[in-house]
Amino acid sequence: MGLPALEFSDCYLDSPQFRERLKSHEAELDKTNKFIKELIKDGKALVQALKSKFPADGRERVAVAARVNTEMCRLRVRELHCRVSVSREAKKKYDKETEKYCGVLEKHLSLSAKKKEAHLHEADNQVDNVRQHFYEVSLEYVFKVQEVQERKMFDFVEPLLAFLQGLFTYYHHGYELAKDFNHFKTDLTISIQNTRNRFESTRSEVESLMRKMKENPHEHKSISQHLMEGYLFVLEKRSFVSTWVKYYCTYHREPKRVTMVLFDPKSGGKMGEEESFILKSCTRRKTDSIEKRFCFDVEAMDRPGVITMQALSEEDRRLWMEAMDGREPVVAQLDVIGFNVIKKFIYAVETRGIDEQGLYRIAGVNSKVQKLLSLTMDPKTCADVELDSPEWEIKTITSAIKHYLRVLPAPLMTYQYQRSFIKAAKMDNPETRVTEIHTLVHRLPEKNRQMLELLVNHLANVASHHHQNLMTIANLGVVFGPTLLRPQEETVAAIMDIKFQNIVVEILIEHHERIFQHVPNSADGPNNMLSNQSRRRSTESKAPSCSERPLTLFHTPTHSQKGMNTAVSVNVSTSATSPSPASPRSPSWPMFSAPSSPHPVSSASSDSSPVSVSGRKAIALYACKAEHESELSFIAGTVFMNVHASREPGWLEGTLDGRKGLIPENYVEFL
C-alpha cells in the first residue's frame, strides 16, 4: 500500500531507481501471497472450530452455513492467489529477457568497427529487435504488476467482508458485534465499489497507453531539456588491462555535472558507489581511432585525463553529445592552420627531442594525441598550447604529426599519383627511379608538394641523427610509407605494395635537396610549365593575402604599403607557405623558429633568380637564430633597414641596430 506508481516511460530508461521501485512492488506482492496462504489455513481451522464449539441442536446448521461462506471466501482468495502467481511467472520472464537483452547488447557493442558495413547493419537490426522485445516484455510486466496491485484492493477485501458477514449472521454471539460493525461495513462497501469503478475506468486508458508505447516507443520516451540519463560503457584500466564497465549515467545541464553509478541488471541490481565530476568538454571519437563504435571522449574539470564512453547506439550517442554540447573531432586540411600546426610540431621535435630513441616509431597515448590536435587546430585555443610543457611528450607530438597526415581527406601524395609512385619505385635503374619520383613530386598540387617538402626536410634532419635516435632512412620509410601513399582501397595488391611505399619515402629523404630544390625538365610537360609561369606571375603581381599567411603576424601592411610592393619584383609567396613555425602570442616572446639552416626559395615556386632590391625596409615574419657571425638573429616583428640583395642565393643583406648581416629571404616581407 502507498507504493509509488510505475511509469511505462521508465521501462525504456530502465534506471536503477525504476528497478528499486519495481522491487518494492514485487516485495508487496510476495507479502500478499504469504498472507493469502495464511488466510486459507485460518479458514480451515475456523471450520473445524465451528464443528466442535456449538451444541448438537444448532451446531450442524451453523457449521454448514459457516463452511459455505468460508469455502466461497477460499475460492475467491485462491483466484487472487492465482493472479499473484501469474505475476510471478511474468517476473521470471522479465528477468530472463533482461539477462538476454544485456548479453546481446554487450556482444553487439564489442563488435569491431572494421567489420563489413552489411554485417554491422545486420547486427544493428538484430539488437534493435531484441531491444524492442525487451521493452514489450517490460511494459507487459509493469502492466501486470500494476493490475494485481490494484485488484487486490477489492478482490482480497471483498471475500473477506463476505466471510465476516456470514460469520456474524449465523454466529449468534456475534449479532451485537454485527450491528456495531454495520456502519464500518457500509463505508467499506462504498469504498470497494468506488475503487472497482475507478479501476474499470482507468484500466482501458492504461492499456491503450501501453499499446501506443509499443507501437511508437520513441515518441513516448521522456527526454528532459535539463537532464540526460541512461546507460553508458566507460573504458577503465584495471590491473594494466583495459575493460569496459557499465554505468548508469546522469548529466545535469545547468551545473554540467555528470553522475555515474556502477549498476548491472544482470547481477541482481547491485548498485556501486556514486561518482561525479564537472564536465569540461565532449568530443566524438572517430571510428578509425578506436575499435568500438558509438564512442565519445569527455574531459572533467576536477579529475585528470580523458574518459572514453560508449553509447548504446548511434542515436543514443547523438543525444548524449547534444546534451553535453559535444563537438566533432578535428578535421585536417592543407590550409594555413594545418601548415602552422605542423611547423609548430616540427620545431618542438627538433628542439626538444630529435635525439630521442625510437622517434616516430614509439606511439603516444591516443587520447592525448586527440587532445593536442583539438587544441592546436582550434583558432581559439592554439595560442594557449605550450609544447615546451612536460604535459606534451615527444611521442605525443610525433604521433600528432602522423595522425594529422592520416586523417587528411586524401593522402599527401594523392590517390591520383599513388600507383605512379609505386610503379616508379619498382624500376630497376636507381637513377631512373629517382628521376621519375622527382618528376611525380612536381606534378603534385602546390599545397601537397609544399607540405611534403616541409615533412621530408624534417625527416632528413631526423635521419641525420640516427646514431642517437636509431631512426635511419629505412626506419622512417617504414613509418611514413603507408601514411603518405595509403591506397584508396585495401586490396591484396595494396598490401604487397607496402614495401614499395617505403622505398618511395626513402628516396624522398635521401634525395630531398635534388627533388625539392630543382624543377625537373619534364615535370609535367608544357602544361606544368605553363601553370608554373602563371603561378609565378600571379604571386609576383600581388602581395600575399592575410589568408595565405600564418594566423598571427605582428605587422600587416597598410593599404598604401601594399601598393608599394607592386613596384618591386620580389617573390614573397613562399614566405607565406614556406616551412616556418607558428606565430607567438606576444611580440616580446620569441617565435618558433624554422630549421636552423634556412633553405633558399625553391625553384619550383619562384624564378630562382636573385632578388633585385636595394635600400628598402623589411619586417620579419618569423624568428631566426643565427648560426654564423655573418647572419643576424631576430624575432618576429623586427624591422630591418637598408635591405638589399645578397650574393648568397636565398639570402638578403640588411641592417639591424647598426649591424649589417645576412637575413633569410623567405623570413621577411618588404614594407
Side-chain angles (χ1 to χ4, degrees):
M1 303 299 178
L3 294 172
L6 295 174
E7 294 294 336
F8 286 135
S9 60
D10 289 340
C11 296
Y12 293 100
L13 280 178
D14 195 24
S15 65
Q17 292 78 11
F18 166 70
R19 291 281 183 160
E20 290 297 324
R21 291 195 294 271
L22 194 58
K23 279 186 178 180
S24 62
H25 279 264
E26 292 169 353
E28 184 65 25
L29 290 179
D30 290 338
K31 189 187 300 183
T32 303
N33 196 24
K34 291 179 182 178
F35 187 79
I36 291 173
K37 292 180 180 179
E38 293 177 359
L39 185 61
I40 294 175
K41 182 179 179 182
D42 292 341
K44 291 180 180 179
L46 180 59
V47 171
Q48 294 297 327
L50 288 173
K51 289 181 180 180
S52 59
K53 185 174 182 181
F54 292 101
D57 56 338
R59 180 178 62 188
E60 190 66 20
R61 178 175 58 82
V62 175
V64 171
R67 182 181 300 171
V68 171
N69 283 278
T70 303
E71 289 298 323
M72 182 188 68
C73 179
R74 289 171 62 189
L75 288 175
R76 298 293 299 274
V77 170
R78 282 177 176 174
E79 181 184 358
L80 179 60
H81 175 62
C82 181
R83 289 198 183 102
V84 175
S85 299
V86 169
S87 68
R88 291 169 66 90
E89 292 297 322
K91 172 176 169 50
K92 292 181 181 178
K93 182 179 179 181
Y94 177 66
D95 291 341
K96 182 178 179 181
E97 288 299 323
T98 298
E99 185 172 356
K100 178 181 177 181
Y101 169 61
C102 293
V104 170
L105 183 62
E106 291 183 8
K107 183 178 179 181
H108 174 67
L109 294 176
S110 65
L111 284 176
S112 173
K114 296 183 179 179
K115 289 187 174 294
K116 293 183 178 179
E117 188 66 25
H119 181 76
L120 294 176
H121 183 67
E122 181 180 356
D124 290 342
N125 292 337
Q126 181 182 3
V127 78
D128 286 342
N129 293 335
V130 174
R131 183 187 292 112
Q132 182 64 27
H133 183 63
F134 168 72
Y135 288 158
E136 292 179 1
V137 172
S138 179
L139 289 169
E140 291 173 359
Y141 179 56
V142 169
F143 175 74
K144 179 64 69 176
V145 170
Q146 289 277 37
E147 181 182 23
V148 174
Q149 290 284 17
E150 294 292 328
R151 274 189 174 276
K152 75 177 184 180
M153 296 182 185
F154 53 88
D155 278 355
F156 173 72
V157 181
E158 190 174 27
L160 182 61
L161 180 61
F163 168 75
L164 293 176
Q165 176 66 26
L167 180 64
F168 293 151
T169 301
Y170 294 99
Y171 190 35
H172 62 284
H173 292 296
Y175 179 72
E176 293 296 331
L177 183 61
K179 288 178 62 177
D180 296 337
F181 181 74
N182 189 57
H183 73 281
F184 179 71
K185 181 196 72 173
T186 303
D187 294 341
L188 192 57
T189 302
I190 295 173
S191 179
I192 290 171
Q193 187 61 39
N194 291 337
T195 304
R196 181 188 293 275
N197 293 339
R198 187 167 59 250
F199 170 76
E200 293 296 338
S201 63
T202 59
R203 183 180 186 279
S204 59
E205 296 180 5
V206 173
E207 190 173 7
S208 175
L209 177 60
M210 182 187 71
R211 285 197 298 268
K212 289 180 181 178
M213 296 192 73
K214 281 186 177 182
E215 294 172 359
N216 301 299
H218 297 289
E219 296 181 2
H220 295 83
K221 287 184 179 180
S222 57
I223 300 178
S224 171
Q225 295 183 353
H226 307 287
L227 181 70
M228 180 68 187
E229 55 184 333
Y231 284 101
L232 291 172
F233 286 81
V234 180
L235 181 61
E236 295 183 351
K237 289 185 178 180
R238 297 181 176 179
S239 301
F240 305 100
V241 177
S242 297
T243 181
W244 293 89
V245 183
K246 189 175 185 179
Y247 284 88
Y248 190 83
C249 300
T250 306
Y251 175 65
H252 297 270
R253 286 183 172 90
E254 187 59 32
K256 289 191 174 183
R257 178 168 292 278
V258 180
T259 304
M260 304 191 307
V261 179
L262 185 62
F263 184 82
D264 190 353
K266 293 195 302 181
S267 62
K270 293 182 179 179
M271 295 180 62
E273 295 183 1
E274 182 177 290
E275 303 179 37
S276 64
F277 57 86
I278 301 298
L279 180 70
K280 180 180 179 182
S281 65
C282 172
T283 308
R284 181 178 67 85
R285 281 293 290 270
K286 283 189 174 182
T287 306
D288 55 2
S289 66
I290 193 169
E291 284 290 332
K292 303 287 187 178
R293 297 195 296 164
F294 321 133
C295 293
F296 58 96
D297 291 336
V298 297
E299 288 186 84
M301 301 285 290
D302 47 359
R303 61 187 292 181
V306 177
I307 305 171
T308 300
M309 295 181 170
Q310 183 184 27
L312 303 185
S313 63
E314 186 63 41
E315 176 66 16
D316 192 36
R317 176 170 68 173
R318 183 186 66 80
L319 293 175
W320 277 104
M321 290 195 62
E322 286 182 358
M324 295 181 172
D325 297 325
R327 60 189 180 186
E328 290 297 311
V330 175
V331 178
Q333 296 289 343
L334 290 175
D335 53 7
V336 173
I337 296 177
F339 272 88
N340 285 336
V341 168
I342 294 300
K343 293 169 187 175
K344 191 173 183 178
F345 287 164
I346 288 176
Y347 176 78
V349 173
E350 294 189 348
T351 55
R352 286 183 54 198
I354 197 167
D355 292 333
E356 190 168 307
Q357 290 189 2
L359 196 65
Y360 285 106
R361 182 177 54 82
I362 300 176
V365 179
N366 187 66
S367 59
K368 292 184 178 180
V369 174
Q370 296 287 341
K371 179 180 178 181
L372 177 59
L373 278 173
S374 298
L375 293 174
T376 53
M377 297 292 288
D378 189 346
K380 298 179 181 178
T381 58
C382 63
D384 298 328
V385 180
E386 298 285 352
L387 292 181
D388 292 335
S389 171
E391 178 185 3
W392 307 117
E393 300 176 274
I394 291 298
K395 63 180 182 181
T396 302
I397 301 174
T398 55
S399 295
I401 294 176
K402 293 187 292 184
H403 185 76
Y404 169 86
L405 296 172
R406 280 196 295 266
V407 298
L408 287 172
L412 195 58
M413 300 175 75
T414 71
Y415 291 126
Q416 178 184 358
Y417 294 110
Q418 195 264 349
R419 294 302 309 164
S420 299
F421 277 109
I422 297 298
K423 184 178 179 181
K426 293 180 179 180
M427 292 181 174
D428 295 332
N429 189 312
E431 180 59 31
T432 306
R433 189 185 307 169
V434 175
T435 302
E436 184 64 21
I437 291 177
H438 186 188
T439 302
L440 290 171
V441 165
H442 286 268
R443 291 179 184 174
L444 294 174
E446 184 72 13
K447 290 184 178 180
N448 295 61
R449 185 184 57 76
Q450 290 174 355
M451 179 62 78
L452 183 63
E453 179 180 1
L454 174 64
L455 177 67
V456 171
N457 287 338
H458 166 62
L459 296 182
N461 193 13
V462 171
S464 66
H465 293 74
H466 69 273
H467 293 294
Q468 293 79 25
N469 56 37
L470 305 182
M471 293 303 292
T472 61
I473 293 178
N475 291 342
L476 292 171
V478 171
V479 172
F480 283 91
T483 299
L484 300 179
L485 282 167
R486 69 176 186 268
Q488 197 161 9
E489 295 181 359
E490 292 187 3
T491 61
V492 176
I495 296 175
M496 301 301 293
D497 287 340
I498 290 178
K499 60 181 180 180
F500 297 104
Q501 297 172 1
N502 305 343
I503 291 174
V504 172
V505 176
E506 292 178 26
I507 292 174
L508 291 175
I509 298 173
E510 188 173 357
H511 302 276
H512 67 281
E513 293 184 355
R514 168 185 171 183
I515 290 175
F516 292 104
Q517 295 184 19
H518 303 281
V519 177
N521 295 329
S522 58
D524 197 16
N527 293 333
N528 187 68
M529 294 178 63
L530 183 61
S531 64
N532 286 340
Q533 292 173 2
S534 62
R535 181 164 61 244
R536 286 197 296 270
R537 284 196 297 269
S538 63
T539 55
E540 291 170 1
S541 62
K542 63 176 182 178
S545 64
C546 293
S547 62
E548 295 172 332
R549 296 172 181 164
L551 290 180
T552 53
L553 295 178
F554 293 117
H555 177 80
T556 301
T558 62
H559 180 74
S560 61
Q561 290 170 334
K562 287 182 179 180
M564 295 173 62
N565 288 346
T566 59
V568 184
S569 176
V570 182
N571 188 350
V572 295
S573 63
T574 54
S575 66
T577 56
S578 61
S580 60
S583 302
R585 293 177 294 170
S586 64
S588 61
W589 184 75
M591 285 195 59
F592 294 101
S593 62
S596 57
S597 299
H599 296 289
V601 180
S602 172
S603 60
S605 58
S606 68
D607 286 329
S608 71
S609 58
V611 179
S612 176
V613 295
S614 62
R616 298 293 309 280
K617 290 184 180 180
I619 186 172
L621 298 177
Y622 315 106
C624 180
K625 183 179 180 181
E627 291 188 346
H628 303 285
E629 294 181 356
S630 60
E631 300 173 8
L632 295 176
S633 296
F634 51 87
I635 63 173
T638 302
V639 177
F640 301 94
M641 306 298 292
N642 193 26
V643 179
H644 56 275
S646 169
R647 296 180 180 179
E648 295 290 336
W651 296 82
L652 300 173
E653 289 184 2
T655 304
L656 176 62
D657 296 333
R659 179 174 176 266
K660 293 184 179 181
L662 295 177
I663 309 167
E665 180 182 339
N666 57 349
Y667 277 49
V668 298
E669 180 179 66
F670 283 89
L671 301 178

